[in-house]
Each structure stands twice: as C-alpha cells, then as structure tokens.
Amino acid sequence: MADKSFNAFEMAQKQFDGVAEKLGLDQATCDLLRNPMREYHFNIPVRMDDGTVKVFRGFRVQHNDARGPCKGGIRFHPQETIDTVRALATWMTWKCSVVDIPLGGGKGGVICDPHHLSEREQEGICRGWMRQVAYNVGPFQDVPAPDVMTSGQHMIWMMDEYERIHNGKFPGIITGKPLGVGGSLGRTEATGYGCVYVMREALREMGIDIKKTKAAFQGFGNVSQYAVKLYKEYGGTPVCVSCWDQADQKSYTFLKKTGIDADELLKITDRFGGISKEKAKAAGYEVLDGNAWIEQDVEILVPAALENQVTKDTAPKMGKNVKLIVEGANGPTTPEADEIIKQRGIFMIPDFLANAGGVTCSYFEQVQCNMNYFWTKDEVLSKLDTKMTDAFLKVSALARDKKVYMRDAAYMIAIQKVAEACKLRGWV
Ligand code: NAD
C-alpha cells in the first residue's frame, strides 16, 4: 500500500539539491529546476454507466522544456497525488537529458481506479482529460504517453479528442499508440528491453557473465514482463516476480528457483499485471509474501513495480549476493535505502537511466510520425540499444572518473545539460 509519509516530490527535490551543490549551480538555476514550470489541476466530470455523474481529479505537470517539448506519461491510480506527478515530471526532464533526446519533462495523472471502471467510463476520463488541456499540450508543447494503468487504447481516445478539437491529424500529440494508428514497433518491449541493455553493459564492466546470474523482479507489468524475457534470452535465470493482488489488496512473490517463464506466467496474468495465485501454484510456483522478492539469493534485483519499494525497512533484507540493482520503476529506492546500497558497494543503475528505453522509443515514434515512415522492429530496437548503451557508458565513465555513486553521476550529466539549455535560452 502507498506509504502516506512518503513524498516522491520531496525525494526528487532532495536528490536535485545534492547534485546542484556538487555542480555549483547558481541560485536562479536551482530555483528554476527544483520546481515545475507549469501545472494544470482540473476536474473531469464523467457520466457513469449507472447514469450518475462522477467527478475525477486530473493533473498535468510540465517540469522543464528548455531542451524540447515536455514528454511524459499519464498514470491512472487511486492513490495518485500531485506530488507524485511533480516528482515523475521532474524525473522525466532528467531522463530525456541523460539519454540525450531533445525533449523536456512532463507527467499527468488522474485519481481513479480502472479496476472499477468500464471501458466506456475510462474513455470518458481520457476524452475529458484531453478537453481540459487540449491547448496546453501538443506535438510542439507537451507530448503525453501511457504509464501505470494506461495503455495504447487510452492514448488513442486522447489523440482522437485532441484531433477533434484542433480539426486535423496530429499523430505526434501522443505516443504509445497502437500499431497502425501511428504507433512504433518495439514500443511495448522498449522499457523492459532498455533495462536489460544497461544491465548487460554493467555486468560486462563488472566482469560478470550474465549466464551465471540470477535475478529477482518486482512487478509483472509492461516493464518487468519484457525485462524478464530479454534477460532470459541473454542466458540469465529470473527466479521470481512479485505483483499486486487486487482481491487481497496485497502483493505476492511468485518464485521458481529453476527459473520462471514469462510466457507461461503471462497466460495467467490479468491486464493490470496481477497473477492468479491458484494457477501459479498449479504451474509449480511458490507463492510468497510480496516483499520476498528482495530477499532471494540472486545477483541482480530489478524493482519494476512502483515508487518507494526499496526502503530503510526492506533494503537490509537484500540477499547477500546482490551485486547489481536495475531500477525499472520510477523512484523505487528511498534516499535512506540508497545509503544502505552505497555502503554495501552494490552497483546501481538509477531509474531515469535504466527505464529510459520507453521514452527513447516514444521519441522514435514521434520521429517516425513526423516522417510518416515507419521503421522495422529490428531497426527500432537496434537504435534503442545504441542510445541506451551510449548513455550508460557516459554515466559509468563519469562515476568512475569522479568516484561518485551512479545515481549522482547520472544526475550530474542530466542536470548539467538542462541547466546549460536554460542558460543558452537566457532564462537564467
Ligand atoms: P504496469 O501497470 O504495467 O505494471 C505494474 C506492475 O507492478 C503490476 O504487475 C502490478 O501488479 C505490480 N505492482 C503494483 N503494486 C505493487 C506492489 N505494491 N508490490 C508488488 N508489485 C506491485 O506498469 P509498468 O508500465 O510496468 O510500470 C512499472 C513502473 O515502471 C512504474 O514505476 C512506471 O512509472 C515505470 N515506467 C514505466 C514505463 C513504461 O514504458 N511502461 C517507462 C518508464 C518507467
């Protein structure tokens, strides 16, 4: 469950402050970058299937657009808060910068629970969300995308509403679209695969053979499913995933020490990334407590569910063989847990580098939409691999040279570039 004392935005600001000091940024640049440039908060009235009207709260936060139009997903979540959206928008700015794509950072959200909404009601939320910000987002201003509990279908409803309002075809308004309606091949795989491309590079630098490693994954949604798949293709052994159980309102870990099979698990996974306990047991999986994923005897941990999962309480329980953490989710590790990880000398690939594959492919989607010419999947994935590998190598080289933690090195590269863009534009 969401920890009410945890504030993702305070954490994002704390991380920024530490790096701003290391970089010696001036006061005006700090003031500009530690808060979003713009925020939209609004109501979305929706006529429900039973005839009543329900009002949902929606947000769009534009953190910084000095390097290009804002970019970032829209999350549907019952515990969504404006501070979560602010944090995610901030991280998007750093993410686009660290992988060197010409975009800024934004994020959106709606407080709602799609588990309890019909397709028609969800369409109403999507169209209502877009009506509220149709003049504040756009291909050259701010480009939304899917995030937790939103999909290509949601994006198409939003694009369709935008096109009705602006009377034209604007496939570059939104990314994560289905194939055939402006979507890019490889987008579904991009974030999970991106995590594994940088994992591969880190292991190479550490002199560890991926085939001799085991990994534990938290989450079994879009990111984790494809990360598990590619990691296994590279010869690694994924031993468990954990996911949220909607009926029990708690999470469980699904463990098979000889190696889990993503395709087998997918057959018993619902569209929200929840796995059937009974069917998993029948398929030979041990069903354990939700936090058990972090305690397994593995070399690699991939938190790929939600923010605030590796904490001062859970980090001490990490298995003694853990050598590498790849943050698939946004903000999964709290600053206190980061200290524990640093002290143990575990190699960290921070979220905004590890999971940048999604936004990089979204950028490729925009490029293809603008050209109206679409690449093959191999072309997309090989360009993605190049971008992710290049970004990883730059960050790890800086971490080595300056003897700083990987998260700090990634922040230093990302923040420096955004600060420079603001300066060149004459904003500070
Ligand atoms: P998703 O909705 O497809 O899946 C989320 C998964 O996490 C599900 O399996 C769910 O059951 C599980 N989960 C939720 N709460 C949990 C809990 N308390 N304990 C254990 N498991 C839990 O989401 P996703 O798209 O895979 O995104 C996962 C994370 O990655 C989020 O932080 C998201 O912001 C981030 N991310 C996603 C993308 C993308 O392209 N999808 C890109 C960058 C970052």
Side-chain angles (χ1 to χ4, degrees):
M1 283 302 291
D3 172 0
K4 292 212 166 53
S5 64
F6 169 76
N7 185 309
F9 186 49
E10 281 172 13
M11 176 169 128
Q13 288 190 316
K14 198 168 164 183
Q15 289 168 340
F16 170 79
D17 292 343
V19 179
E21 203 183 315
K22 280 198 181 74
L23 291 173
L25 294 186
D26 59 74
Q27 192 57 49
T29 307
C30 289
D31 291 345
L32 188 70
L33 296 182
R34 80 190 299 282
N35 285 299
M37 290 183 318
R38 267 172 247 111
E39 292 185 358
Y40 304 95
H41 301 211
F42 43 87
N43 288 336
I44 307 172
V46 174
R47 172 103 28 217
M48 306 300 280
D49 290 348
D50 65 5
T52 61
V53 172
K54 195 164 174 196
V55 179
F56 296 89
R57 195 76 182 141
F59 310 105
R60 185 70 185 172
V61 173
Q62 296 169 346
H63 174 259
N64 188 281
D65 58 8
R67 286 174 41 84
C70 292
K71 184 88 195 77
I74 301 169
R75 184 180 277 202
F76 284 1
H77 201 277
Q79 271 106 36
E80 189 63 293
T81 68
I82 183 60
D83 273 346
T84 310
V85 185
R86 286 177 178 138
L88 292 165
T90 310
W91 288 322
M92 283 306 295
T93 305
W94 314 141
K95 193 182 295 192
C96 293
S97 178
V98 83
V99 281
D100 206 21
I101 54 178
L103 298 169
K107 203 80 184 187
V110 178
I111 304 173
C112 68
D113 189 351
H115 291 99
H116 305 300
L117 295 165
S118 70
E119 286 266 299
R120 201 199 61 80
E121 290 164 344
Q122 291 183 50
E123 178 177 351
I125 295 180
C126 290
R127 291 186 184 278
W129 189 94
M130 186 51 91
R131 277 197 299 278
Q132 292 291 349
V133 286
Y135 288 93
N136 310 109
V137 299
F140 305 108
Q141 287 167 280
D142 180 4
V143 183
D147 196 79
V148 174
M149 288 203 266
T150 53
S151 66
Q153 177 61 75
H154 297 97
M155 299 305 109
I156 285 297
W157 286 323
M158 289 183 176
M159 179 183 83
D160 190 65
E161 193 66 24
Y162 183 89
E163 292 184 338
R164 281 186 197 186
I165 293 167
H166 292 280
N167 190 27
K169 294 294 167 201
F170 301 95
I173 163 64
I174 214 153
T175 61
K177 302 184 292 297
L179 293 173
V181 222
S184 171
L185 287 163
R187 176 62 188 88
T188 320
E189 294 88 347
T191 309
Y193 276 22
C195 287
V196 179
Y197 295 147
V198 292
M199 176 201 288
R200 179 196 66 205
E201 293 306 311
L203 291 171
R204 189 177 289 162
E205 284 193 350
M206 295 161 84
I208 297 173
D209 181 358
I210 197 166
K211 296 194 176 74
K212 294 190 179 137
T213 63
K214 296 188 284 304
F217 294 75
Q218 191 194 29
F220 195 57
N222 175 256
V223 179
S224 185
Q225 287 166 12
Y226 287 97
V228 169
K229 264 190 194 177
L230 188 61
Y231 171 66
K232 200 166 178 178
E233 269 175 48
Y234 281 170
T237 308
V239 296
C240 68
V241 293
S242 79
C243 64
W244 184 251
D245 188 288
Q246 185 59 21
D248 295 359
Q249 288 291 298
K250 69 186 285 283
S251 57
Y252 292 100
T253 299
F254 297 83
L255 175 76
K256 201 184 247 184
K257 286 188 180 150
T258 52
I260 60 168
D261 185 311
D263 289 327
E264 181 183 68
L265 277 177
L266 269 173
K267 289 184 197 138
I268 55 170
T269 303
D270 66 26
R271 67 195 165 98
F272 301 107
I275 298 172
S276 156
K277 296 195 291 293
E278 292 67 32
K279 289 181 182 161
K281 277 183 195 156
Y285 287 80
E286 284 179 60
V287 180
L288 309 171
D289 177 74
N291 281 328
W293 71 280
I294 208 169
E295 300 167 13
Q296 297 308 309
D297 175 25
V298 294
E299 289 75 27
I300 305 165
L301 292 176
V302 185
L306 282 180
E307 63 280 348
N308 191 27
Q309 296 302 308
V310 184
T311 63
K312 64 178 183 342
D313 301 322
T314 60
K317 296 182 186 152
M318 284 185 297
K320 64 177 184 333
N321 282 332
V322 173
K323 296 186 176 58
L324 170 65
I325 298 177
V326 183
E327 292 185 324
N330 287 312
T333 309
T334 63
E336 296 84 1
D338 241 0
E339 285 307 316
I340 298 171
I341 292 163
K342 270 187 220 173
Q343 275 160 25
R344 275 193 49 180
I346 295 170
F347 194 94
M348 161 67 76
I349 311 184
D351 49 4
F352 66 102
L353 171 60
N355 68 33
V359 72
T360 304
C361 197
S362 289
Y363 163 60
F364 293 159
E365 181 179 329
Q366 272 189 297
V367 172
Q368 294 169 83
C369 282
N370 292 344
M371 292 190 299
N372 206 9
Y373 176 76
F374 288 82
W375 307 331
T376 63
K377 188 164 171 181
D378 283 350
E379 226 173 327
V380 173
L381 294 176
S382 106
K383 283 182 168 68
L384 180 67
D385 194 346
T386 306
K387 265 290 193 206
M388 295 298 293
T389 301
D390 191 47
F392 173 84
L393 294 178
K394 286 197 173 95
V395 173
S396 74
L398 185 75
R400 256 195 322 276
D401 288 354
K402 300 265 181 218
K403 297 192 174 36
V404 292
Y405 189 49
M406 277 289 283
R407 193 188 305 283
D408 293 340
Y411 267 121
M412 284 162 79
I413 289 180
I415 293 174
Q416 184 74 55
K417 280 200 271 183
V418 178
E420 263 166 35
C422 293
K423 208 147 249 133
L424 284 169
R425 285 177 180 274
W427 290 356
V428 280

